[in-house]
Amino acid sequence: MNLLPNAALVVFVDNPDHAVLLLLCGILFIYAEFNKPGTVILGCFGALLTMFALYGLSLLPIRPAAVAVALAGVILVGLGCRLRTAGRIADVAGTLCIALGLVNLVISPPVHFVVAIVTAAIFSFVTSWLVRIALLARQNKSLVGPQALIGSVAIVRTPLAPSGQVEVRGELWQATLQAGEHQPAGARVIVRGVQGLELLVETRTADGSSAR
């Protein structure tokens, strides 16, 4: 029997396995849009797939408790990205909760076990990977720009008395000597801080440490 396009779509998304896989694909496309903003097409396609999946699930008898278990799994995966020692345990526990929630999500017909496991594993892995990359980038943000110069050795180009210019990593910076009254041109100092666009430096002793 030939079905109209809209009827064929309803039949397709009315299958719980199809709905769950569409939801996963939609989320992954949305992730891709956030990872490479400006593409637009990926985000729109992901949103479309997500809406189809949610529409299909709305046609099925859903267990609210299973939804709660799956959401708890998502939260555990998110927490696992922030935890160090127990992070892997949280990831595994979150993945199992998501899979358990998906298996019991629809009363009849149920989501197949293999589909639930694969969906939970892919979602958890991609989510954990992207969140950890974002957290790492956030932690390293302070190392970009003048903050990255802290701890570097600078060469005095104009005498510091206590302010002058120093060269560090091939660039000239205005600097102020924190300890001591004067450093001649050619002396070596250590960058200890940044105040606006000015470096705070200290005298470098013969053994390479700073004089305090």
Side-chain angles (χ1 to χ4, degrees), residues 154-157 160 164-168 171-173 175 189 199 201:
I155 301 175
V156 178
R157 291 307 182 194
L160 299 178
Q165 285 190 328
V166 299
E167 181 182 343
V168 54
E171 297 179 340
L172 287 177
W173 290 83
V189 293
L199 302 181
V201 298

Side-chain angles (χ1 to χ4, degrees), residues 93-191:
T95 302
L96 292 177
C97 284
I98 295 173
L100 182 63
L102 291 177
V103 168
N104 296 282
L105 181 62
V106 180
I107 298 175
S108 180
V111 177
H112 285 85
F113 181 77
V114 175
V115 173
I117 289 292
V118 171
T119 300
I122 294 176
F123 172 82
S124 299
F125 174 78
V126 175
T127 301
S128 179
W129 178 59
L130 291 178
V131 172
R132 283 189 170 90
I133 289 178
L135 291 176
L136 184 61
R138 184 176 179 181
Q139 291 173 359
N140 293 336
K141 187 177 180 181
S142 61
L143 299 178
V144 177
Q147 295 293 336
L149 301 178
I150 296 177
S152 300
V153 176
I155 301 175
V156 178
R157 291 307 182 194
T158 61
L160 299 178
S163 296
Q165 285 190 328
V166 299
E167 181 182 343
V168 54
R169 297 184 183 179
E171 297 179 340
L172 287 177
W173 290 83
Q174 192 69 22
T176 297
L177 190 63
Q178 287 185 302
E181 298 180 354
H182 180 269
Q183 280 293 315
R188 294 178 180 272
V189 293
I190 298 178
V191 181

